[in-house]
Amino acid sequence: MIKIENLYKNFGKNEIIKGVSAEIKQGEIFAIVGHSGAGKSTLLRCINGLENYQGGSLKVANKEVATLNGSEIREFRKNIGMIFQHFALMSRKTVFENVATPLRFWKFDESYIKERVGELLELVGLKDKANAYPSELSGGQKQRVAIARALALKPQILLSDEATSALDPNTTTQILNLLRQINKTLGITIVLVTHEMEVVKSIANRAILLKDGVIVGSGDIVELFLHPDKNMKEFLGEEEVLPPNNINVRLFFPPSVAFDSIITHMAHELGINFNIVWGKLERLDKSVVGSLVINVLPSQLEAVEKFVSQKGVIYEIVEQGK
């Protein structure tokens, strides 16, 4: 649905996007991840034609965005909804009028507008707030209104630019559940820009990691977290306090073995004692994966490596502070 090839974007002499290539499939939830200044939002704005680009190709539904003229770009954007970090609602208009705005712009019949806005407010759980003003809503409710407005013209693509960054964790979860429901029931392709890894873990199917305008990591969410490279570990920024003695082994448990009692069986079968430093299970998209750090004696390492490999567990040796 969206194909980006060797894309370059400059602001004057500053190169913001540097040879980015990615393909976003129809119906998936795709994340563009990175710290502030990585080029995430600029790349998103190139997708809907709000920013031009100086090199490469960006096609949406086989249309090269840079070649679209005035009327073509308006029709093109009709098929792309967008939600923002700070909602971008009109404070003097009611919830109903905010959602109705794109429909009025395209001169739809008033009876259709009333019906369509009603459907959308029911979808986002705000049918009883149709006559309320943004100042009377919570942050989560404002974002639900913004999502309803973005869906008004029945787009095939929904772009989200840090849409949960201004929300508390509980509200963020509710909004992500709503986006997941929209993706599932309406089949809309969702492209998320975020610096929040919990957002990526909970909802995205695939992701790219941007750093200084360059892709430094990409792939299926489960694979990215099961095989985190140096750039992903740096982005996650998770500080580990590890024992300074013996050998620390980080274990990654793929979905197929995440709930298996492999470590208990290893202790019994090998007849060894070791220190469990920390461990956790977490949901990545629709899968559950596990991670664990154990501290073993040098004499135990070879047997541990052989055992976990046979059980389908991925492992690496990790030093203090790595």
Side-chain angles (χ1 to χ4, degrees), residues 90-252:
M90 292 172 282
S91 60
R92 296 187 179 183
K93 290 185 179 290
T94 64
V95 166
F96 182 96
E97 290 301 324
N98 267 279
V99 178
T101 296
L103 295 164
R104 295 201 195 287
F105 177 84
W106 285 94
K107 296 181 170 48
F108 280 91
D109 182 84
E110 283 299 318
S111 61
Y112 175 77
I113 292 175
K114 184 176 180 180
E115 178 185 357
R116 179 63 178 156
V117 174
E119 289 174 354
L120 291 166
L121 292 181
E122 185 167 0
L123 174 67
V124 302
L126 290 178
K127 199 162 188 179
D128 61 332
K129 299 290 185 180
N131 296 317
Y133 288 87
S135 61
E136 302 173 288
L137 304 178
S138 67
Q141 289 172 329
K142 290 176 184 177
Q143 196 57 282
R144 287 174 181 270
V145 175
I147 291 170
R149 181 184 58 191
L151 297 175
L153 300 174
K154 298 183 178 181
Q156 291 185 341
I157 299 169
L158 182 62
L159 305 181
S160 169
D161 192 0
E162 299 280 12
T164 60
S165 295
L167 306 176
D168 62 74
N170 184 53
T171 306
T172 291
T173 299
Q174 294 173 10
I175 294 299
L176 294 178
N177 287 338
L178 175 59
L179 291 176
R180 190 183 293 110
Q181 175 194 349
I182 288 168
N183 170 257
K184 182 179 179 181
T185 58
L186 303 181
I188 293 176
T189 304
I190 298 178
V191 183
L192 301 161
V193 155
T194 183
H195 66 275
E196 301 173 294
M197 284 315 301
E198 292 308 312
V199 170
V200 180
K201 290 177 181 179
S202 66
I203 193 173
N205 308 133
R206 293 189 303 127
I208 56 173
L209 174 60
L210 279 184
K211 181 179 180 181
D212 297 326
V214 177
I215 294 178
V216 294
S218 65
D220 175 89
I221 292 300
V222 173
E223 288 301 311
L224 281 174
F225 285 93
L226 282 179
H227 303 278
D229 62 12
K230 178 183 177 182
N231 290 304
M232 180 58 75
K233 291 174 184 175
E234 180 185 323
F235 177 73
L236 291 171
E238 296 176 346
E239 183 181 1
E240 290 182 335
V241 179
L242 302 173
N245 301 317
N246 301 319
I247 299 174
N248 297 300
V249 184
R250 183 186 286 119
L251 307 173
F252 298 100

Side-chain angles (χ1 to χ4, degrees), residues 253-310:
F253 299 80
S256 59
V257 298
F259 293 110
D260 294 353
S261 53
I262 293 172
I263 297 304
T264 304
H265 289 157
M266 182 174 73
H268 287 308
E269 290 188 27
L270 300 183
I272 61 174
N273 292 318
F274 47 83
N275 178 23
I276 295 178
V277 181
W278 63 259
K280 62 181 177 180
L281 289 171
E282 58 184 338
R283 185 173 297 280
L284 300 181
D285 188 20
K286 302 177 182 67
S287 303
V288 174
V289 299
S291 53
L292 182 73
V293 173
I294 61 175
N295 182 266
V296 303
L297 296 172
S299 60
Q300 298 170 335
L301 180 60
E302 184 177 351
V304 168
E305 289 177 321
K306 183 177 180 181
F307 185 91
V308 297
S309 296
Q310 291 174 342

Side-chain angles (χ1 to χ4, degrees), residues 40-94:
K40 309 182 303 296
S41 294
T42 299
L43 180 57
L44 196 74
R45 290 168 65 85
C46 287
I47 292 175
N48 67 359
L50 289 175
E51 295 286 355
N52 58 12
Y53 44 93
Q54 283 69 50
S57 171
L58 198 164
K59 292 182 179 179
V60 179
N62 294 319
K63 295 179 180 178
E64 184 68 49
V65 178
T67 66
L68 300 176
N69 61 33
S71 60
E72 290 173 335
I73 197 73
R74 285 193 294 274
E75 190 68 32
F76 168 77
R77 288 185 186 142
K78 184 180 179 183
N79 198 37
I80 301 178
M82 191 153 183
I83 51 177
F84 305 89
Q85 179 178 355
H86 296 295
F87 324 125
L89 300 179
M90 292 172 282
S91 60
R92 296 187 179 183
K93 290 185 179 290
T94 64

Side-chain angles (χ1 to χ4, degrees), residues 305-320:
E305 289 177 321
K306 183 177 180 181
F307 185 91
V308 297
S309 296
Q310 291 174 342
K311 299 297 183 180
V313 176
I314 301 160
Y315 72 91
E316 65 178 6
I317 310 302
V318 57
E319 299 175 6
Q320 178 76 27

